[in-house]
Amino acid sequence: MSLHADALAVLRAWTPPTPVQESLRQRYVAHLEAHPDGMTRACRPDHVTASTLVLSHDRREVLLTLHAKAEQWFQLGGHAEPDDATLAGAARREADEESGVAGLVVHPVPVHLDEHAVAFCRLPDGGSDDQVVHHLDVRFVAVAPPGARHVVSEESLDVRWWPVDDVPNPDLVPLVQSALDALDEVRNSEGGVMREASDQPSR
C-alpha cells in the first residue's frame, strides 16, 4: 500500500470527536481523492502533513519545539518523505528527527486535524510562488519513556517540556485535550497498553 493510499484509508476510517473535526476529515479525504500527489509538498496550494504531540510517560507534560521559521511553539511534525510507508510512520519519523527521543510509542489513530496557512512553505526545489500554501495536518499522539532525553535539531530554536495545562501556544490547547482524551480511550479499551503500530499499513 502506498503512503497516499494509507493516508486515505486512515482518514476514511477515522471517527472525529466533533462536527468541526468531521468537516475537516471530509475536506482532507476530498483533497486526497482529487490529488494523487496530495501527500507531497509539490501539491499546490495544499498538501497533507503529519505531526505528533509527544507526552511524558506520566501524561503531565508535552514536548514542544520552538520552530525556527515560525518562531512559535508547536508539536513535532512536517512534510512526508518518499520513504514513508504510512501516515503514522511519517509522524513518528518527524518526532524522532525533531526530538531525538528514543523509544517513542505512537498511537496509530489520529487524534486531531488542523488546516493552517504556511507562508514559508517552499517548493521542493527551493523556489517560491504566489500561492498561499495550506498544511492539512494530521496529528497523532506519542508517549515518551520514563527519563526520556531530547535534543534540539537544526529545524528548532529550542525543544522543551511544558505542563499540559500551561502550553505556550493557545492554538495547541485543543490538540493537547484531544490527545489526552485519546489516551484515556486507549487505556480503557486495551487495559492501559498502547501498542506500537506506526509503521504498519492500515487495513
Side-chain angles (χ1 to χ4, degrees), residues 26-154:
Q26 293 178 20
R27 156 94 163 100
Y28 286 28
V29 168
H31 172 78
L32 289 174
E33 288 176 341
H35 300 280
D37 63 345
M39 287 298 305
T40 74
R41 73 181 76 191
C43 184
R44 316 297 279 192
D46 308 326
H47 44 261
V48 174
T49 55
S51 64
T52 303
L53 184 75
V54 175
L55 289 164
S56 60
H57 74 286
D58 58 6
R59 321 299 203 256
R60 294 181 179 178
E61 296 181 306
V62 292
L63 187 64
L64 302 177
T65 173
L66 183 56
H67 196 280
K69 292 180 180 178
E71 298 184 347
Q72 293 187 55
W73 290 97
F74 294 121
Q75 76 281 6
L76 309 165
H79 295 99
E81 299 293 345
D83 291 338
D84 291 328
T86 67
L87 187 59
R92 164 67 185 271
R93 175 188 51 74
E94 285 285 326
D96 288 345
E97 292 175 354
E98 294 185 2
S99 73
V101 174
L104 289 177
V105 178
V106 179
H107 183 45
V109 178
V111 297
H112 193 259
L113 304 180
D114 185 75
E115 177 180 357
H116 50 272
V118 185
F120 51 79
C121 187
R122 297 291 182 246
L123 293 166
D125 61 4
S128 62
D129 56 52
D130 296 328
Q131 294 177 310
V132 177
V133 172
H134 286 81
H135 282 180
L136 310 182
D137 198 38
V138 182
R139 297 164 163 186
F140 296 83
V141 61
V143 177
R149 296 177 178 270
H150 62 272
V151 299
V152 180
S153 76
E154 61 183 17

Side-chain angles (χ1 to χ4, degrees), residues 165-179:
D165 59 355
D166 189 27
V167 291
N169 182 349
D171 290 342
L172 295 178
V173 172
L175 168 60
V176 172
Q177 188 58 58
S178 294

